[in-house]
Amino acid sequence: MRAVSSPPTRESITGVILAGGAARRMGGRDKGLTPFAGRPLVEWVIEALAPQVATLLLSANRNIETYAAYGFPVVRDAEAGFQGPLAGVLSAMRKAQTAWILTLPCDGPCPPPDLAERLSRALRGLDADLAVATDGQRLQSVHALLPVSLAESLAAFLAGGERKVERWHAQHRVALADFSDRPGSFVNINSADEAMALEHAFLSRLT
């Protein structure tokens, strides 16, 4: 199925920060609100993403009021039970007022400052349906530029019991955006120990 959307521009993209997971490796703690370098993780992501897009949505299933205090709409998964990132993506597609959404996780404090630009360029270059980042070694599948016109495709995929992001992507024409020059931009935090280990290096980059 081909998506039918005009080419993405900054004004036509809603950034979606995925903070709705169960965070089992964090002991169930809400990862987006986990302190990192003096601020909740989600604040670092908001700061990096906001200049790249027209507006933001926060995908969350807990601590809704805390997330809403950042001043952006908060959207819950339509289905209960932490059904995975695609559930958050679908709810965001249905909420967004733009033709495109750019998704990324809440637990990576230093996303690329040109994430939207490179994903858009890759998508236009291949006349693709969607674009996904790669760090040169592996796909970063939730760092993706997606047209909201694929909402029904995604809904059907989830209704069939599927959850794997890459399997849904494979139903469409995918462009890969090369970030092999910035692999550190995709470091994510899955435990308190990882957070402690990464904080010093992260703060060093800011000084």
Side-chain angles (χ1 to χ4, degrees), residues 23 55 57 62 79 91 94 107 127 137 140 168 173 192:
T55 189
L57 289 177
R62 297 177 287 173
E79 301 293 332
S91 291
R94 289 174 166 167
D107 60 359
D127 189 27
Q137 298 295 320
Q140 299 294 330
W168 179 64
R173 183 173 173 82

Side-chain angles (χ1 to χ4, degrees), residues 86 100-105 112 114-124 126 128-136 138-147 150 165-180 186:
L86 286 179
W100 297 85
I101 63 170
L102 191 164
T103 65
L104 74 172
D114 56 354
L115 181 63
E117 178 186 344
R118 290 203 206 185
L119 287 170
S120 297
R121 189 188 315 141
L123 185 141
R124 291 193 300 268
L126 288 180
D129 295 323
L130 59 95
V132 177
T134 172
D135 64 10
R138 54 178 294 189
L139 291 178
Q140 299 294 330
S141 299
V142 293
H143 293 77
L145 181 62
L146 308 165
L150 287 182
V165 177
E166 294 84 356
R167 189 170 294 176
W168 179 64
H169 287 171
Q171 296 183 356
H172 307 284
R173 183 173 173 82
V174 180
L176 299 184
D178 182 12
F179 288 87
S180 56
F186 300 98

Side-chain angles (χ1 to χ4, degrees), residues 4-27:
V4 181
S5 297
S6 57
T9 63
R10 180 183 180 279
E11 293 72 23
S12 67
I13 301 172
T14 296
V16 178
I17 300 174
L18 299 170
R24 294 180 180 88
R25 284 183 287 179
M26 291 282 282

